[in-house]
Amino acid sequence: MSDQYLLLIVGTEWDPSTTSEEDFAKEMQAHGVFSAAVAAAGAKILGGEALQPTSTGFSVTPARGGKPAVYTNGPLAETTEVLGGYYVIEAESLEQVKELAALCPTDGHIEVRSI
């Protein structure tokens, strides 16, 4: 039986407005190689997306104890690494997803969570 895992891609934030076409093409090629490796291993990518820069996001602190919700515009945190994207992978084992996560392109790290 296969299990599903969320691969969170954490690394240096990139801004599409300042990324050259050549650098973008290299990044997309690296993700294509990763996708091919997943398929070759007999696993499946069920979904995934790149995320827009943190400056486009916001956070919400839900209303609690009679206090209204609080909305904060991005950037969300002062950090050197941000969540840049994700994949949802279906794999045969934890060992298999560990091997696949090690192939996922990032200049940071991949956080893996079972779904």
Side-chain angles (χ1 to χ4, degrees), residues 60-71:
V60 179
T61 303
R64 292 188 189 113
K67 294 182 181 178
V70 176
Y71 302 90

Side-chain angles (χ1 to χ4, degrees), residues 1 4 15 21 32 34 38 50 56 61 70 72:
M1 182 173 137
Q4 293 181 6
D15 182 347
E21 287 183 29
F34 172 70
V38 170
T56 67
T61 303
V70 176
T72 306

Side-chain angles (χ1 to χ4, degrees), residues 60-85:
V60 179
T61 303
R64 292 188 189 113
K67 294 182 181 178
V70 176
Y71 302 90
T72 306
N73 289 331
L76 305 175
E78 293 295 326
T79 182
T80 57
E81 292 186 323
V82 298
L83 178 59

